[in-house]
Amino acid sequence: MNPGTGTPGTAHEQVDPGTRTVLGPGDVARALTRIAHEIVERAKGVEDVVLLGIPTRGVNLAARLADRLAAIDPAFDAAQSLGELDVTMYRDDLRRQPTRAVGVTRLPGAGIEGKTVVLVDDVLFSGRTIRAALDAISDLGRPRAVRLACLVDRGHRELPIRPDFVGKNLPTAVSERVRVLLSEVDGTEDAVVISGPDGAER
């Protein structure tokens, strides 16, 4: 599949039979810029904001948000305020997927104690990944507040979890699969695509 064949920023582009593009690279860029501005407005300043990306693509999205926050407010130190949070050992599906590889947790240089932590993920679905992230954070420190930013909220929540910052609310069927494609990870232009059945819990 080559989801990069469409016109940048054009929604609902057919990239393969049964697959449609709902966000193109321009849409992704604008969504991240809007989220960055909302983070600044909500925090009333960025000095105490740190970003934690959830692997895989949440890490790349967090890095892009960090660059945007630094551009909006020079008080934001992207180098010291960006990290990643592996939630593997906190997931509630380990018994069903015991071979899941453990990733890396890298806290921001500024730490998370007393900070406003913004968790960053690509797609919010059942909420179970975010529940695991909250459990992981509780073992690492005590932030002043924890917020959630996601590029796509596709609904179908199984837990009482709601994002604070959303790039796109995307109504979907449970059986559909929503994928975020990023140039850094996928070697193609940025896109959000919907295709066939999705058995993954997010």
Side-chain angles (χ1 to χ4, degrees):
M1 181 176 69
N2 179 16
T5 58
T7 302
T10 301
H12 307 293
E13 181 100 25
Q14 294 291 334
V15 293
D16 259 347
T19 298
R20 60 192 173 100
T21 300
V22 292
L23 295 180
D27 304 310
V28 172
R30 285 188 291 272
L32 291 174
T33 297
R34 187 178 71 253
I35 289 173
H37 280 281
E38 290 174 355
I39 290 172
V40 173
E41 292 169 6
R42 177 83 173 263
K44 296 181 173 60
V46 293
E47 294 84 353
D48 292 325
V49 172
V50 296
L51 305 177
L52 285 180
I54 298 176
T56 299
R57 289 163 183 79
V59 175
N60 302 99
L61 293 173
R64 295 190 190 185
L65 282 174
D67 289 341
R68 283 166 167 78
L69 288 173
I72 295 168
D73 190 338
F76 183 81
D77 186 343
Q80 292 297 309
S81 303
L82 177 63
E84 58 185 282
L85 181 67
D86 177 67
V87 303
T88 302
M89 300 308 296
Y90 294 87
R91 295 189 64 98
D92 60 7
D93 60 359
L94 283 178
R95 291 182 180 178
R96 287 186 291 166
Q97 303 184 49
T99 58
R100 187 186 293 269
V102 177
V104 174
T105 288
R106 180 177 57 83
L107 291 181
I112 65 171
E113 199 74 25
K115 302 291 186 180
T116 295
V117 172
V118 179
L119 289 171
V120 183
D121 204 3
D122 55 352
V123 179
L124 180 59
F125 187 14
S126 70
R128 294 184 180 276
T129 294
I130 304 307
R131 181 208 59 79
L134 294 172
D135 287 346
I137 287 175
S138 70
D139 281 349
L140 296 171
R142 185 179 174 84
R144 185 179 67 80
V146 180
R147 312 292 184 207
L148 173 59
C150 62
L151 182 61
V152 173
D153 182 355
R154 60 168 297 187
H156 306 292
R157 211 80 72 244
E158 296 172 6
L159 298 170
I161 289 172
R162 180 178 177 178
D164 299 278
F165 313 106
V166 182
K168 175 75 172 178
N169 287 293
L170 187 61
T172 61
V174 174
S175 61
E176 289 179 312
R177 183 183 185 194
V178 177
R179 295 180 62 205
V180 172
L181 304 176
L182 299 178
S183 58
E184 305 97 308
V185 180
D186 302 290
T188 185
E189 67 182 15
D190 297 341
V192 175
V193 299
I194 299 180
S195 54
D198 181 2
E201 290 183 344
R202 298 292 298 175

